[in-house]
Amino acid sequence: MLYLIPVKANLAKSETEPMDGITGVSDQPPVEKQLELIRKILPDAKKIGIIYTTNESNSQSTLNIYKEKASEFGFEIIEKGISNASEISQAIDIVLGQADCISNLTDNIVVNNLPVMLEKANAANIPIFGSESRQVTGGCLASAGVDYIELGKKAGIMASKILKGEEISTIPYEVINQSEIAVNEETAANLNIVIPDDILENAEKSK
């Protein structure tokens, strides 16, 4: 699949074939699990806004997956590309005028400007879903993001194989399938959003 970040970034030839001298573990977000989480928390939502940096291949790849999978969960994607941080403020205003919520990618410029986005989204009473738990701690409503502990374990196993003499060319990259659910209860209360009990029971909670 060309949407996979390592392939899109020219770090792998295919899902099973690494580039010469390159392998590793991808932190590509578990998009389907994020969409499922959003649908459970916002059963009436129709449109998800996504702001992304147009020259970040990781963002483009993940956006394509969102666009491919969104309809399976009854969503339409409202996308807005930016080229630098100065465009964040205008982009968030445009997206907030059309979407029921926003879902972040692992996009460097967007994540680095999360406070600006949260200030505007909170004022509009529209939730932002993070791509990992640290964004939820920072004020996003929730996320079904990459489990970075599991990612670290898999990377360590790969490193061990290489140190023991296994050829990198025989070790394809891996994408982490496990997701880590995180919820910010204070954000939920401020936005008058009720988080279902079955999500809270298994979530990392921030207050």
Side-chain angles (χ1 to χ4, degrees):
M1 181 187 292
L2 292 177
Y3 296 161
L4 292 167
I5 289 174
V7 177
K8 182 73 174 178
N10 295 318
L11 296 175
K13 294 179 181 178
S14 70
E15 186 174 353
T16 58
E17 188 178 8
M19 297 285 282
D20 292 339
I22 302 174
T23 192
V25 184
S26 172
D27 66 347
Q28 180 164 297
V31 172
E32 289 189 66
K33 293 178 180 177
Q34 179 86 333
L35 289 168
E36 181 181 10
L37 179 71
I38 295 171
R39 175 52 70 211
K40 286 182 177 179
I41 294 176
L42 301 177
D44 298 323
K46 295 180 174 64
K47 297 180 180 181
I48 298 174
I50 294 179
I51 298 172
Y52 70 102
T53 306
T54 54
N55 63 359
E56 286 194 28
S57 59
N58 57 308
S59 297
Q60 293 173 334
S61 295
T62 306
L63 174 63
N64 285 335
I65 300 173
Y66 267 97
K67 290 162 70 175
E68 180 183 273
K69 298 292 184 180
S71 62
E72 296 177 16
F73 296 86
F75 291 119
E76 176 187 346
I77 299 300
I78 304 298
E79 61 181 278
K80 179 60 180 175
I82 61 170
S83 58
N84 56 65
S86 67
E87 298 174 4
I88 284 280
S89 182
Q90 183 179 14
I92 186 70
D93 286 340
I94 292 171
V95 172
L96 289 174
Q98 302 177 58
D100 301 303
C101 66
I102 291 172
S103 189
N104 278 346
L105 313 179
T106 53
D107 184 294
N108 293 298
I109 289 179
V110 171
V111 173
N112 288 338
N113 289 273
L114 184 57
V116 174
M117 294 176 58
L118 283 168
E119 182 179 1
K120 287 179 173 285
N122 289 338
N125 205 44
I126 292 177
I128 296 180
F129 289 82
S131 57
E132 44 86 21
S133 60
R134 285 174 297 178
Q135 294 175 32
V136 176
T137 302
C140 289
L141 176 63
S143 72
V146 173
D147 185 338
Y148 280 95
I149 293 177
E150 187 64 28
L151 184 145
K153 289 178 181 178
K154 286 189 178 291
I157 291 171
M158 279 188 176
S160 176
K161 289 179 180 180
I162 294 167
L163 290 172
K164 290 176 180 177
E166 192 166 334
E167 291 291 330
I168 290 178
S169 61
T170 67
I171 307 175
Y173 76 89
E174 294 186 44
V175 174
I176 299 300
N177 293 318
Q178 293 89 340
S179 62
E180 179 183 42
I181 305 296
V183 171
N184 190 313
E185 293 180 294
E186 181 179 354
T187 297
N190 290 339
L191 295 174
N192 294 313
I193 293 174
V194 177
I195 306 295
D197 289 339
D198 63 326
I199 293 175
L200 286 174
E201 288 172 1
N202 300 298
E204 174 185 331
K205 302 179 186 68
S206 300
K207 294 184 178 180

